[in-house]
């Protein structure tokens, strides 16, 4: 089971938890204050960019190749 690192947004506590990879597993709660507002810390790089722009590639390009544009 992998170990994940979390930080509590309520009190700032950092803790580690062994989690399974089950996506249905509920998020952990802070062992310090019991808050459920914890953020998973990925291996020390993903937390540097809050609110990264979501740019789906390949989608939303429907300008050409439409339906019945040939005359
Ligand atoms: Zn906390």
């Amino acid at each position: 089971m992998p170990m994940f690192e979390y930080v509590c947004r309520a009190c700032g506590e950092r803790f580690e938890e062994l989690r399974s990879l089950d996506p249905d597993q509920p998020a952990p709660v802070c062992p310090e204050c019991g808050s459920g507002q914890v953020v998973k810390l990925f291996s020390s790089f993903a937390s540097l960019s809050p609110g990264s722009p979501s740019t789906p590639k390949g989608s939303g390009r429907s300008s050409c190749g439409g339906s019945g544009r040939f005359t």
Side-chain angles (χ1 to χ4, degrees):
M1 244 191 303
M3 173 107 72
F4 292 110
E5 194 171 2
Y6 295 87
V7 62
C8 175
R9 294 175 64 180
C11 71
E13 172 78 4
R14 276 173 77 149
F15 59 98
E16 293 175 338
E17 269 210 16
L18 285 171
R19 308 289 288 178
S20 70
L21 291 178
D22 188 357
D24 291 334
Q25 193 175 37
V29 296
C30 173
E32 189 69 23
C33 69
S35 170
Q37 295 188 4
V38 295
V39 180
K40 185 192 293 183
L41 296 178
F42 293 97
S43 38
S44 74
F45 62 88
S47 59
L48 297 177
S49 59
S52 57
S54 61
T55 49
K57 42 190 169 185
S59 66
R61 296 186 62 191
S62 58
S63 54
C64 61
S67 58
R69 223 95 190 273
F70 298 146
T71 44

